[in-house]
Amino acid sequence: MTDHDLPVNGTLIWYYTVCHRQVWLMARHLTPDEQDDNVVLGRFIHESTYQRDKHEILIGNIKIDLVRGAKGSALVGEIKKSSRSEASARLQLKYYLYVLKQYGVDIKGMLFFPEEKRNEEIVLDEEGIREVENAIAGVKRIVSMPAPDPPVKTRRCNHCAYAEFCWA
Amino acid sequence: MKKSIYIFKDGQLKRESNTLCLITEEGKRFLPIEDISEVHILGEMDLNKRLLEFLAEKEVILHFYNHYGYYTGTYYPRQHLNSGFMIVKQVEHYTDPVRRLELARSFVTGAYKNIRQVLVYYERREKQVGATIAHIDDLGSALESTSTIEQLMAVEGNIRDAYYGSFDTIIGDPDFPFVERSKRPPGNELNALISFGNSLMYTTTLSEIYRTHLDPRIGFLHASNFRRFSLQLDVAEIFKPIIVDRVIFTLLGKHMLKKTDFEKHLNGMALTQKGRTTFIKEFEQKMLTTLKHRDLGREVTYRRLVRMELYKLEKHLMGERKYEPFVARW
């Protein structure tokens, strides 16, 4: 597959730190089990929280969950079910900030964990940029492989919506 | 897990208060849409486009059966899981005769091995099926050397004939003789049970296909003509002996069905509504029976096993891992 077929997006960046198989599968729209309890809960939280804010802003390949605040104090936000994969969530939001920077927009980011009633501000610094660029390169490398890496059982597999696919 | 709903009564099915509402002589009943994966309609039912749109939005599929309980068709809403990649792979395996044959052979091999497991189970229970096992093993050994789909289907037909030939020995009830396999319409009670059970297996498998990225129109053993669903026929072959036939043996062995649960019509035989209810109850119970999946490390239902069989097929098509059909161990 070529770069043109497979744009990098926020979801792939998020998966990159979680599981390389997921990156490969998701890039081919081989989405996980939609009826998985965690997937259903995540979708519900996404749909039912922060309804007053603007939802799902599409910029190029990326889809930002919400944009909040007036000019000057504006921020882009990403909503997460839990902080279990906090590091991945941070990287995903840094990726959005990175993409926006290419468009000349310098803005803050905020991670929202509505279930935990907790937010976390994210700023893109030099190190963040390097981190994001590494991840983009990593995603491209994984996606261009002819087959995904074989599954490796980890703790994450226990509540992963791909588990039945991977271990079938 | 979401449920399969079976409606036997006549009436109207509609969207009301953002959920499903069934109106029959007995009154209104609300069916919570979020808990439903598919609806089987066996009675006479009025429905409208508003309902179909609602079902499409909620990704619920509808299976229809006629007055005699024979499958008539499926309302398969717009595919909600789309992967161009997977469709391309599926087509590649269909159009390449070598790859298609390999998959088709796997389905027949799976069916053969599961048929064998059923027979071995009864042999251990001192039913005289040893000769049949030897005979199907003989037929099964020819599978590897088949070089066309037609040959494969012929071997499969012969195995199935030999297997059905042992039904009288297994069931041992003069009220329910096998005689011969007859379809459209089934000629006697046992054939009516086999046909009805197979229809349920096909529709259940089709419902599971809807939850994957596979295209139900592209089968490998059962010729695809891109008009009719056929993939579910392939995959159901593997499960028919261990699910449908075992349900039949249970129903007859425990005398849960009687002659009066059948009715004659035109030239054929069909289950009555009461008979169908009994059958479906037992079938659903079987589908919800769990077994421990070794690789996954979780208990899974038979129904989930069907889904996982489809996942295995996806992995084969992706080139990740060769497809090996599920074979029961008991």
Side-chain angles (χ1 to χ4, degrees), chain B residues 186-198:
Chain B
N188 65 14
E189 289 83 354
L190 188 50
N191 275 289
L193 290 176
I194 296 170
S195 291
F196 187 62
N198 288 347

Side-chain angles (χ1 to χ4, degrees), chain A residues 1-165:
Chain A
M1 277 189 219
T2 63
D3 272 13
H4 179 73
D5 290 337
L6 288 167
V8 173
N9 63 37
T11 315
L12 297 183
I13 295 288
W14 188 76
Y15 282 141
Y16 178 67
T17 48
V18 178
C19 173
H20 289 185
R21 271 178 76 77
Q22 293 194 352
V23 173
W24 193 95
L25 293 165
M26 195 52 114
R28 285 161 179 77
H29 296 276
L30 295 168
T31 44
D33 183 5
E34 281 190 0
Q35 290 172 1
D36 179 90
D37 290 347
N38 282 317
V39 175
V40 171
L41 180 59
R43 192 164 51 219
F44 175 76
I45 291 168
H46 180 91
E47 284 165 8
S48 60
T49 54
Y50 310 110
Q51 298 204 6
R52 281 170 300 173
D53 295 303
K54 280 189 173 173
H55 264 271
E56 306 226 315
I57 316 292
L58 202 63
I59 301 162
N61 297 328
I62 65 172
K63 197 196 247 176
I64 292 164
D65 279 354
L66 66 85
V67 177
R68 177 186 281 182
K71 201 171 181 182
S73 68
L75 59 86
V76 294
E78 172 69 16
I79 307 165
K80 290 291 178 200
K81 178 167 70 65
S82 83
S83 55
R84 195 192 294 275
S85 303
E86 224 170 327
S88 316
R90 285 195 198 108
L91 183 62
Q92 182 181 353
L93 196 47
K94 280 181 196 164
Y95 169 73
Y96 291 158
L97 299 176
Y98 175 87
V99 172
L100 290 169
K101 211 183 173 76
Q102 319 291 304
Y103 288 102
V105 181
D106 254 317
I107 198 168
K108 275 192 311 196
M110 188 79 86
L111 282 176
F112 294 93
F113 303 102
E115 290 298 277
E116 299 168 9
K117 300 199 187 325
R118 195 170 73 81
N119 303 334
E120 184 185 327
E121 197 178 297
I122 302 287
V123 251
L124 185 69
D125 52 17
E126 284 305 316
E127 202 196 321
I129 292 175
R130 267 201 309 279
E131 224 184 317
V132 169
E133 285 174 347
N134 281 338
I136 294 173
V139 166
K140 286 187 175 165
R141 182 180 49 79
I142 292 167
V143 164
S144 65
M145 295 191 308
D149 283 342
V152 178
K153 195 157 274 178
T154 69
R155 272 187 12 252
R156 291 181 194 276
C157 298
N158 291 334
H159 22 81
C160 174
Y162 276 109
E164 284 167 348
F165 177 85

Side-chain angles (χ1 to χ4, degrees), chain A residues 21 28 153 164-166, chain B residues 83 213 295 304 315 320:
Chain A
R21 271 178 76 77
R28 285 161 179 77
K153 195 157 274 178
E164 284 167 348
F165 177 85
C166 288
Chain B
S83 167
H213 298 83
D295 294 336
R304 190 40 65 125
K315 291 204 278 192
E320 188 182 7

Side-chain angles (χ1 to χ4, degrees), chain B residues 2-6 35-40 204 284 303:
Chain B
K2 293 193 181 200
K3 292 188 211 106
S4 316
I5 300 283
Y6 294 84
D35 289 343
I36 298 172
S37 77
E38 84 229 26
V39 183
H40 298 255
T204 304
E284 277 298 307
R303 195 182 169 101

Side-chain angles (χ1 to χ4, degrees), chain B residues 58-253:
Chain B
K58 296 291 179 184
E59 295 157 10
V60 172
I61 82 179
L62 282 184
H63 299 296
F64 296 97
Y65 304 80
N66 72 8
H67 181 66
Y68 303 109
Y70 305 141
Y71 174 69
T72 51
T74 297
Y75 170 62
Y76 197 87
R78 160 176 58 75
Q79 191 126 12
H80 60 108
L81 299 178
N82 279 307
S83 167
F85 169 76
M86 188 56 74
I87 302 294
V88 167
K89 292 289 162 194
Q90 210 182 333
V91 173
E92 276 175 12
H93 283 76
Y94 176 77
T95 50
D96 174 353
V98 177
R99 283 193 273 185
R100 183 179 162 195
L101 186 71
E102 186 194 4
L103 272 174
R105 190 185 288 125
S106 300
F107 294 125
V108 178
T109 305
Y112 152 62
K113 290 188 173 167
N114 283 315
I115 282 174
R116 193 176 191 287
Q117 278 310 91
V118 169
L119 291 171
V120 166
Y121 174 91
Y122 283 101
E123 193 188 29
R124 285 202 202 106
R125 270 148 196 78
E126 278 152 29
K127 301 275 186 185
Q128 300 301 310
V129 292
T132 312
I133 295 175
H135 185 38
I136 66 158
D137 281 348
D138 208 29
L139 292 165
S141 66
L143 283 173
E144 277 311 308
S145 55
T146 47
S147 54
T148 64
I149 299 282
E150 290 68 30
Q151 283 174 13
L152 208 50
M153 289 193 107
V155 174
E156 199 236 338
N158 292 337
I159 291 175
R160 212 161 269 282
D161 284 347
Y163 169 57
Y164 283 137
S166 70
F167 270 37
D168 286 339
T169 314
I170 293 173
I171 296 166
D173 185 340
D175 273 357
F176 296 99
F178 177 71
V179 189
E180 57 169 3
R181 180 75 180 115
S182 51
K183 313 177 200 176
R184 288 180 222 109
N188 65 14
E189 289 83 354
L190 188 50
N191 275 289
L193 290 176
I194 296 170
S195 291
F196 187 62
N198 288 347
S199 310
L200 293 180
M201 196 65 236
Y202 295 143
T203 49
T204 304
T205 310
L206 182 57
S207 300
E208 290 303 315
I209 293 173
Y210 187 59
R211 311 270 166 223
T212 70
H213 298 83
L214 295 165
D215 190 316
R217 291 167 296 184
I218 308 168
F220 301 94
L221 173 64
H222 293 86
S224 200
N225 53 19
F226 296 100
R227 274 187 290 135
R228 147 181 199 181
F229 297 146
S230 55
L231 183 63
Q232 85 278 22
L233 305 178
D234 289 4
V235 178
E237 283 303 325
I238 292 164
F239 293 98
K240 272 152 57 176
I242 52 172
I243 295 178
V244 177
D245 301 341
R246 283 182 164 162
V247 164
I248 294 174
F249 299 148
T250 302
L251 288 167
L252 297 181

